[in-house]
Amino acid sequence: MDEVVAHLRTPYLSDSIPQQMSHQRIRRTAVTKVHEAVKAIALCHNVTPVFEVEGDFDTMTYQASSPDEVALVKWTESVGLTLIHRDLTSMTLRTPVTGATVKYGILQTFPFTSETKRMGIIVKDSNGVITFYMKGADVVMSSIVQYNDWLDEETDNMAREGLRTLVVAKKQLTEDQYRDFEARYSQAKLSTEDRSTKIRAVVESLERDLELLCLTGVEDKLQENVRPTLELLRNAGIKIWMLTGDKLETAICIGKSSKLVSKTQEVFVFKQVYTRMDVHAELNAFRRKNDSALVIRGDTLEVCLSFYEDEFVELACHSPTVIVCRCSPTQKADIVHLIKKHTKKKICAIGDGGNDVSMIQAADTGVGIVGKEGKQASLAADFSINQFSYIGKLVIVHGRNSYKRSAALSQFVMHRGLIITTMQAVFCSIFYLASVELFPGFLMIGYGTVFTMFPVFSLVLDKDVTSTVALTYPELYKELTKGRSLSLKTFFIWVLISLYQGNA
């Protein structure tokens, strides 16, 4: 992730406003809606401001587990409503006009999870007004907020622009309503059986008939050289799957902008299926498409795998590109296991966020990118890099040299040991299988260390092609995928060479 930029869209003015109402009243209504939306974004998050001293000036930065939340808080700062303090029980904002500070008490916080796809917070202002704010994915928030006629359209518009969307809503609570909720919530947390289920049920009782405030979109800008890196990997014969939790339209837009899906390539969107017949019909439709990128939702993928697992994996592996959207972290790991199970190929998983950790750990090789989402992925991975563009050199150059050198080293060690073993066996057979040493002990030790160490160390500098040639002609990497450098054929060739030299 290179940079995140926040965007905001608020509901249109209601068509039910009488025509005779003054323009000033309409404008006041619009301003109130925007003010409430900005305040909700400034309060509903898990961001903490941190002050750092640089020379004679104090600079404020924001820290959070999600860069999307930081981008939204920075956006509220750009319009004047700034978060200046936060602790476990309170939050302080600075207003844009007068610069006065407004303090809010934090009564409850409901963190975001991959299962619920939403987070909420209950705050109390200085006037004693209690408000429940919530933001989350449109698939879950659409059934929670009040009826509206613009959310689906605007969500699709933002998704087609490649933005990650979040729906923000609120609900006003009275003192009695909050006390009743707090009592039930505390009782659920003290429960010893099915505690998480009971807590979820209590929170869901509050998530009803929320007032829709706005829709936010976060632009995740691509890093430099992402497109040529993906092209390099494709030319090297590496199949690329994109697993994301974004919406369908957002995933397609990112796939096209990153050139994962070429302009001349058709995109086959797997329709929503529920029965075996639906799955069979969609698989037949995709089978008739040639050189088409496959785009499928996570829930649809589960239905397909429950009926036609082998057929779907076979078709997907023959597709030039596969994009799985609305994919949970556990689904990402399951897809890795699925590909390993059916193809018997080696899998490399690349991710930059905490939701990619399970996928990285499930793969044969995990690569973590240190980005704005933290270091969870890089700490859980086998390799850690700073930019996605480094993947090309890591695989095509260093991966090639590592494979070639490991193959040569293993064969040389086997060759070295088999020669001395053959010589000892021939020597013993000449003297009627008597257990007589061919060489003294110190010579045997020296043979395995000093006398044969130079070929081993020379492998460190061994290169069949230079890095420039390897990156210029990535098609050379396809030879490595066939495993010709370390196979049964090369093994027996080295065995025969060792036996011949040992007897000679």
Side-chain angles (χ1 to χ4, degrees):
M1 179 179 294
D2 187 35
E3 184 180 357
V4 287
V5 181
H7 302 261
L8 175 70
R9 304 219 176 144
T10 55
Y12 301 113
L13 295 179
S14 176
D15 296 333
S16 61
I17 298 178
Q19 295 294 328
Q20 62 269 25
M21 293 185 66
S22 65
H23 177 73
Q24 183 179 2
R25 175 66 181 276
I26 296 176
R27 187 172 182 276
R28 188 182 304 118
T29 304
V31 171
T32 302
K33 288 182 178 181
V34 174
H35 180 270
E36 287 295 324
V38 175
K39 185 171 71 172
I41 297 173
L43 292 173
C44 188
H45 54 74
N46 287 311
V47 179
T48 302
V50 177
F51 291 89
E52 298 177 354
V53 179
E54 294 184 1
D56 298 333
F57 302 96
D58 292 343
T59 59
M60 184 179 67
T61 58
Y62 297 111
Q63 292 185 356
S65 58
S66 172
D68 292 11
E69 289 195 327
V70 174
L72 292 173
V73 173
K74 285 183 178 179
W75 180 85
T76 60
E77 180 184 0
S78 67
V79 298
L81 195 59
T82 308
L83 174 68
I84 60 175
H85 174 75
R86 179 180 183 141
D87 53 32
L88 294 176
T89 59
S90 65
M91 194 183 311
T92 305
L93 302 178
R94 185 168 56 233
T95 57
V97 180
T98 61
T101 59
V102 182
K103 189 173 183 179
Y104 294 86
I106 302 176
L107 303 181
Q108 298 289 346
T109 302
F110 314 108
F112 180 90
T113 63
S114 58
E115 290 78 18
T116 60
K117 293 183 174 62
R118 57 187 181 271
M119 69 88 59
I121 188 172
I122 301 178
V123 297
K124 185 176 183 180
D125 61 14
S126 56
N127 297 325
V129 179
I130 301 176
T131 310
F132 171 50
Y133 292 104
M134 173 165 282
K135 68 179 179 184
D138 59 286
V139 290
V140 296
M141 295 294 291
S142 58
S143 60
I144 295 176
V145 299
Q146 297 173 353
Y147 172 78
N148 60 89
D149 57 355
W150 66 275
L151 179 60
D152 293 339
E153 179 183 355
E154 287 297 325
T155 302
D156 293 340
N157 291 339
M158 279 193 164
R160 280 190 288 270
E161 296 174 14
L163 305 179
R164 289 201 297 264
T165 57
L166 283 176
V167 180
V168 183
K170 76 166 187 175
K171 184 178 184 180
Q172 209 82 20
L173 301 177
T174 63
E175 288 283 353
D176 294 337
Q177 287 176 331
Y178 176 72
R179 279 197 295 267
D180 176 64
F181 167 78
E182 186 180 27
R184 292 184 290 112
Y185 189 65
S186 300
Q187 185 177 1
K189 289 195 293 185
L190 295 175
S191 178
T192 57
E193 296 182 357
D194 297 332
R195 187 166 68 95
S196 59
T197 304
K198 293 179 179 179
I199 291 175
R200 187 67 256 162
V202 174
V203 176
E204 287 179 353
S205 66
L206 197 65
E207 301 171 349
R208 295 175 183 173
D209 200 30
L210 271 66
E211 177 188 353
L212 177 60
L213 295 178
C214 66
L215 175 68
T216 67
V218 175
E219 180 182 2
D220 189 358
K221 293 186 177 181
L222 294 176
Q223 294 181 352
E224 294 183 1
N225 299 323
V226 170
R227 299 181 183 90
T229 301
L230 292 175
E231 187 69 22
L232 181 73
L233 296 178
R234 272 202 300 268
N235 292 336
I238 298 175
K239 189 78 69 173
I240 303 173
W241 287 41
M242 173 180 166
L243 311 180
T244 177
D246 294 333
K247 280 175 61 67
L248 175 67
E249 295 81 3
T250 306
I252 295 175
C253 182
I254 294 175
K256 290 182 177 180
S257 63
S258 63
K259 298 299 178 65
L260 186 62
V261 180
S262 63
K263 293 181 179 180
T264 59
Q265 210 168 55
E266 293 185 9
V267 177
F268 181 85
V269 180
F270 212 93
K271 296 180 181 178
Q272 197 81 18
V273 292
Y274 303 98
T275 62
R276 178 185 289 270
M277 294 299 295
D278 296 338
V279 176
H280 187 266
E282 282 299 300
L283 288 177
N284 286 337
F286 179 59
R287 189 178 284 109
R288 290 191 290 269
K289 297 289 184 178
N290 294 324
D291 194 35
S292 296
L294 174 63
V295 181
I296 187 171
R297 299 176 182 85
D299 54 351
T300 304
L301 177 63
E302 289 186 356
V303 178
C304 293
L305 297 179
S306 62
F307 294 118
Y308 296 100
E309 180 177 311
D310 296 337
E311 292 82 353
F312 175 82
V313 175
E314 181 182 359
L315 287 174
C317 290
H318 283 88
S319 175
T321 301
V322 179
I323 299 176
V324 184
C325 58
R326 289 300 187 193
C327 193
S328 65
T330 54
Q331 278 184 321
K332 293 180 181 180
D334 293 340
I335 292 173
V336 171
H337 289 299
L338 183 72
I339 300 174
K340 291 170 62 177
K341 172 186 173 183
H342 287 271
T343 64
K344 308 300 181 183
K345 302 289 186 180
K346 298 299 181 183
I347 308 298
C348 175
I350 307 167
D352 66 346
N355 55 353
D356 300 320
V357 171
S358 57
M359 173 186 68
I360 289 174
Q361 293 179 337
D364 297 293
T365 303
V367 180
I369 303 176
V370 180
K372 293 182 179 294
E373 294 192 20
K375 297 183 179 180
Q376 298 97 326
S378 62
L379 293 175
D382 301 299
F383 300 94
S384 178
I385 58 179
N386 289 328
Q387 293 184 20
F388 181 83
S389 59
Y390 297 162
I391 291 290
K393 195 169 185 179
L394 175 66
V395 175
I396 305 300
V397 177
H398 299 293
R400 178 187 188 86
N401 292 336
S402 177
Y403 174 72
K404 287 284 189 179
R405 292 166 181 173
S406 298
L409 177 62
S410 60
Q411 291 165 346
F412 173 77
V413 171
M414 176 195 68
H415 170 66
R416 181 182 64 181
L418 193 55
I419 285 179
I420 198 70
T421 303
T422 304
M423 294 172 62
Q424 181 68 49
V426 172
F427 180 78
C428 291
S429 63
I430 293 175
F431 289 94
Y432 304 100
L433 302 180
S435 57
V436 181
E437 291 184 357
L438 177 61
F439 299 107
F442 69 90
L443 287 179
M444 291 294 295
I445 296 174
Y447 174 79
T449 55
V450 180
F451 302 154
T452 56
M453 71 177 182
F454 293 106
V456 174
F457 282 105
S458 67
L459 292 174
V460 177
L461 305 176
D462 180 52
K463 292 181 181 179
D464 61 336
V465 295
T466 63
S467 59
T468 304
V469 173
L471 292 173
T472 306
Y473 304 100
E475 292 80 7
L476 295 173
Y477 189 82
K478 294 180 181 179
E479 178 191 356
L480 305 185
T481 60
K482 299 176 182 179
R484 292 176 177 174
S485 298
L486 187 61
S487 61
L488 287 175
K489 179 181 178 180
T490 58
F491 171 78
F492 286 114
I493 289 176
W494 277 97
V495 168
L496 293 176
I497 293 174
S498 303
L499 292 175
Y500 171 76
Q501 293 184 355
N503 282 284

